Amino acid sequence: MASATSSTTSGIHLPDSARELVKILVAGPFGVGKTTLIDSVSEIRPLHTEEHLTEASTTVDDLAGVRDKSTTTVAIDFGRISLTGGIVLYLFGTPGQERFRSLWDDIAYGALGALVLVDSRRIEASFDVLGLVEESGLPYAVAFNAFPDAPRHYSEEQLRAALDLDPGTPMVTCDARERDSSLDALLALVQHLIDRHPPESR
């Protein structure tokens, strides 16, 4: 399985060891931690397209469970992380609101897989995003972002059943604020992609 390089790349240039450049979506509902995850792992200064939430958006954005959130991604977040073995992940964070759904096909174009972040306090908020990922045919992994007040009593079987996940879909827990934890979630997706398409078959 791939792992992170021992130190992040200095500057903006790709390491000389780069061999496989892989586009990955970081998807999930509004306020689930996509921007935070990309911030925590990116070896370059991440690109953000965040704007402040306004009174006008309260009629179209569901703030249930994320009342403290003051900004939102309106196009993409972008970051990059180099792994051992010459694999470089380009991370594209997708907007979480329904009103930005028209951007989905453009952002997803050329992606090899998706990491779908889920908030166990509001699992139902992830259904639309999971539907988009599945409709696009992208292989994906699910990562439950460990919010401090998230319920801990659900079993893996209950969570899989709630999301109607295929048995082969990786499901992990991560803390999007922590680099190592976020990286482990991305590595679970990378291993899933490798298992589906081993090097000798590509």
Side-chain angles (χ1 to χ4, degrees):
M1 182 173 180
S3 60
T5 52
S6 57
S7 61
T8 55
T9 304
S10 60
I12 62 173
H13 301 290
L14 282 173
D16 293 337
S17 59
R19 296 293 180 268
E20 297 275 352
L21 310 181
V22 181
K23 181 178 181 179
I24 295 295
L25 300 187
V26 179
F30 177 56
V32 78
K34 302 179 294 293
T35 299
T36 301
L37 184 141
I38 290 174
D39 277 349
S40 73
V41 298
S42 183
E43 66 195 13
I44 59 173
R45 181 179 179 182
L47 167 69
H48 297 306
T49 56
E50 286 202 313
E51 294 292 341
H52 287 283
L53 291 168
T54 65
E55 288 295 324
S57 73
T58 59
T59 60
V60 291
D61 293 332
D62 183 6
L63 297 181
V66 288
R67 290 290 175 186
D68 294 334
K69 188 168 175 58
S70 61
T71 61
T72 184
T73 299
V74 296
I76 62 167
D77 293 314
F78 175 77
R80 188 187 77 202
I81 179 69
S82 299
L83 309 178
T84 56
I87 299 173
V88 178
L89 304 183
Y90 288 109
L91 306 175
F92 287 76
T94 63
Q97 297 103 305
E98 176 66 25
R99 61 191 168 110
F100 297 119
R101 185 167 182 163
S102 60
L103 297 174
W104 176 265
D105 288 341
D106 291 334
I107 297 173
Y109 182 78
L112 293 189
L115 180 67
V116 181
L117 285 181
V118 176
D119 183 348
S120 60
R121 302 171 301 177
R122 48 192 185 98
I123 290 176
E124 69 285 349
S126 301
F127 294 164
D128 287 345
V129 173
L130 281 168
L132 280 174
V133 173
E134 290 176 349
E135 287 171 17
S136 70
L138 286 175
Y140 65 94
V142 168
F144 281 88
N145 193 6
F147 288 93
D149 58 343
R152 311 291 179 184
H153 58 274
Y154 296 127
S155 68
E156 179 176 342
E157 291 75 17
Q158 289 174 314
L159 293 173
R160 282 189 174 276
L163 294 174
D164 194 24
L165 294 183
D166 183 273
T169 300
M171 191 182 78
V172 299
T173 299
C174 76
D175 185 335
R177 301 167 298 179
E178 300 292 334
R179 181 181 186 275
D180 288 348
S181 184
S182 297
L183 183 59
D184 284 344
L186 287 167
L187 290 174
L189 172 62
V190 170
Q191 187 61 59
H192 183 49
L193 298 178
I194 291 172
D195 291 343
R196 287 170 57 94
H197 302 287
E200 60 271 17
S201 70
R202 294 204 296 265

